[in-house]
Amino acid sequence: MTLRSKTAICFANRHKTSTKKGGLCYRKVMVIIMSKQRLCVLLALSFSLSVFPSCQSAESTETTAADVTSTETTADTLERSGVPAGVDLGGETISIWYTTGGGLNYTDIAGEQTGDVMDDAVYNLNLAVQERLNCTIEFYDSGADQRYCDVEVSNLLLADDTTYDLYYVTQWNSGNLVVQGLYLNVADKDCFSFDKPWWDYDYMREMTIGEDKIYALVGDYALDRTRYLTCCYYNKQLYEDFYRDPDGLYQVVADGEWTFDRLAEISAEVYSDLNGDDKLDRDDRIGATLCWNDEIMSFMYSSDVRITERDKDDVPYLVMNNEHTMDVIQALYTLAKSSVGIYFGNESEDIEVQKNTRKFTEGTSMFMFGQLATADLLREMTDDYGIIPNPKFDAEQSDYHSTTYEAMRFMAVPYNCQKADAACMLLEELAFEGYNSILPVYYETVLKNKYVRDDVSAQMIDLIRENLTTDFAIIYGVGCGSLCYAHRDMIRNGKADFASEYASKEAAAKAGLDELIEHFSAIE
């Protein structure tokens, strides 16, 4: 569909349907032609037709916060979870260890009746699932700092503590507990419907080795999988000042032209040396800040760079040392170190987030990179902003990709769980209901209505959620010789020669990967 600057299309009535991989997409009805430059809704139709071809025709009414008082209607009108109808857990108590500690503004999976739309929705969902399965969920917020989650959990499980039936832990440090044999393989639990959209099966497969093994559960029983998806925010007022159309960047995305080069071009055009010191710094008007860690990491793996692939037996092997990887790293180095209007942020991550948020909200930065959860920090922003995916490496790349912040939490059943079947049925039901009841509240009421300020940003969120990517060697970073961090550390240290860097790390990466493969082969 070709953009017409004086034509726009407005939509009413959005009916939610599900896609295979867990993204939400929308059928549009009641199309109305209007005037002016409202291309946002034109692009919404474009995306619904071209980006989400797998949308089904089945319709259900849109869920709001007021609807989430019981999930019985959801279960009766949509496809059911993998838990057999009529299951009664006989009043069983299932205990869940988790943490909201570490300063990352985690959502609380226990929920609470506070009047806040999400707190109430989570509370009501938990209540409904407990009633349906005739069980009690006992939530234990450990208060543990997410940075030491693995230590806290391993101390309990190595002591053969059976207090908790499920653990909700951080990916970047607690994934490695799998190879210590501390999580139960749940691939053979019949109650799980891993082919359904409330589970991210592809992501879970990337976290393990072996077709018949699943240890880490990533799904919609909680919001982390969505909240920590990487994305880009752009200042629509600044974009209008320079390009006359505040929504014009959406067309750039739709055309597949939102790339590293376009980011550099816009940043150079926006840049102004506001403090007159003849150097690029945070006191200037800039295009963006690229943080030494988050942005460099997410840009790399959103650019079709793979560290590992799988052989016919599902065993990973290294593939990173190739021309494409070198091209992406060189382009990233140029973006970060020698692009006009792009500032390289080299301070600690929490300081970078604070400074980047302040620059963006005060209107002196065109772009800010972060996660969907970053919208929580923009409540007081005066200028309108849009949400788009992170840029592609180049226009030849077929898809935009998102990554997830490494502190995303996932569920695991401990190896010594005394109630494994009941815990798994509970988790399946929570994921099913989370997808059908909690996710729409966050998606529609919080993200798309409370924070997102136009219809096309909502479509962009669909695109971002649908295209999550990761790699075995990212999840087990240190265990794979820290190869996933090589480009980040190179750029931070002013280097761009990946060939020599890879040569220095290859032996350790192969040894680490071989050891992980051996561990996965040994555990049941």
Side-chain angles (χ1 to χ4, degrees), residues 239-467:
Y239 199 88
E240 182 177 24
D241 291 345
F242 281 86
Y243 303 104
R244 291 196 265 179
D245 186 347
D247 298 315
L249 194 53
Y250 295 135
Q251 185 65 60
V252 176
V253 174
D255 290 341
E257 300 293 335
W258 174 229
T259 63
F260 286 6
D261 284 346
R262 189 67 185 125
L263 169 62
E265 290 168 5
I266 295 173
S267 297
E269 290 167 356
V270 166
Y271 174 68
S272 178
D273 183 17
L274 296 182
N275 60 7
D277 63 358
D278 294 323
K279 65 179 182 179
L280 174 68
D281 55 41
R282 289 186 190 270
D283 293 328
D284 298 331
R285 185 178 64 212
I286 61 175
T289 296
L290 292 185
C291 174
W292 64 273
N293 185 25
D294 296 346
E295 280 75 80
I296 300 299
M297 289 288 287
S298 64
F299 277 32
M300 178 76 160
Y301 301 113
S302 295
S303 300
D304 281 342
V305 169
R306 294 290 306 177
I307 306 173
T308 64
E309 295 288 357
R310 304 284 178 125
D311 65 17
K312 61 181 179 59
D313 298 316
D314 196 50
V315 176
Y317 59 93
L318 297 177
V319 297
M320 193 181 192
N321 189 27
N322 57 60
E323 186 176 347
H324 177 66
T325 299
M326 295 177 189
D327 289 345
V328 172
I329 291 175
Q330 182 59 59
L332 272 175
Y333 181 87
T334 300
L335 272 181
K337 293 291 191 174
S338 58
S339 291
V340 175
I342 296 179
Y343 182 83
F344 183 70
N346 205 24
E347 299 184 70
S348 65
E349 291 177 83
D350 56 341
I351 292 175
E352 287 293 327
V353 170
Q354 293 174 20
K355 291 185 174 182
N356 294 345
T357 302
R358 184 165 61 249
K359 282 290 292 179
F360 188 69
T361 54
E362 71 185 10
T364 55
S365 179
M366 174 68 84
F367 301 110
M368 182 176 71
F369 298 98
Q371 301 89 39
L372 292 179
T374 306
D376 293 347
L377 306 176
L378 304 180
R379 296 176 183 180
E380 306 303 321
M381 185 168 175
T382 302
D383 291 347
D384 281 344
Y385 61 82
I387 300 177
I388 56 177
N390 281 350
K392 299 190 295 183
F393 168 59
D394 60 22
E396 302 305 312
Q397 183 176 318
S398 59
D399 298 309
Y400 296 98
H401 296 296
S402 61
T403 60
T404 187
Y405 186 49
E406 60 187 359
M408 178 192 78
R409 297 168 295 179
F410 66 86
M411 284 281 189
V413 182
Y415 77 96
N416 59 357
C417 183
Q418 306 298 296
K419 309 167 187 175
D421 289 340
C424 289
M425 283 191 279
L426 172 70
L427 200 51
E428 165 72 10
E429 198 69 22
L430 285 172
F432 168 73
E433 291 297 354
Y435 175 77
N436 287 300
S437 298
I438 295 300
L439 189 61
V441 173
Y442 176 69
Y443 213 67
E444 292 296 313
T445 305
V446 178
L447 262 185
K448 291 187 177 180
N449 289 342
K450 190 174 180 180
Y451 295 146
V452 173
R453 302 181 181 186
D454 59 65
D455 287 341
V456 182
S457 279
Q459 293 297 311
M460 295 294 170
I461 294 169
D462 294 331
L463 177 64
I464 291 163
R465 179 175 156 86
E466 185 70 11
N467 287 283

Side-chain angles (χ1 to χ4, degrees), residues 59-73:
E59 298 181 355
S60 66
T61 55
E62 188 171 349
T63 304
T64 65
D67 295 324
V68 190
T69 56
S70 171
T71 56
E72 290 296 335
T73 300

Side-chain angles (χ1 to χ4, degrees), residues 65 68 112 116-126 437-438 441:
V68 190
E112 186 179 2
D116 176 83
V117 63
M118 283 312 308
D119 286 347
D120 290 355
V122 172
Y123 176 86
N124 288 326
L125 175 137
N126 290 331
S437 298
I438 295 300
V441 173

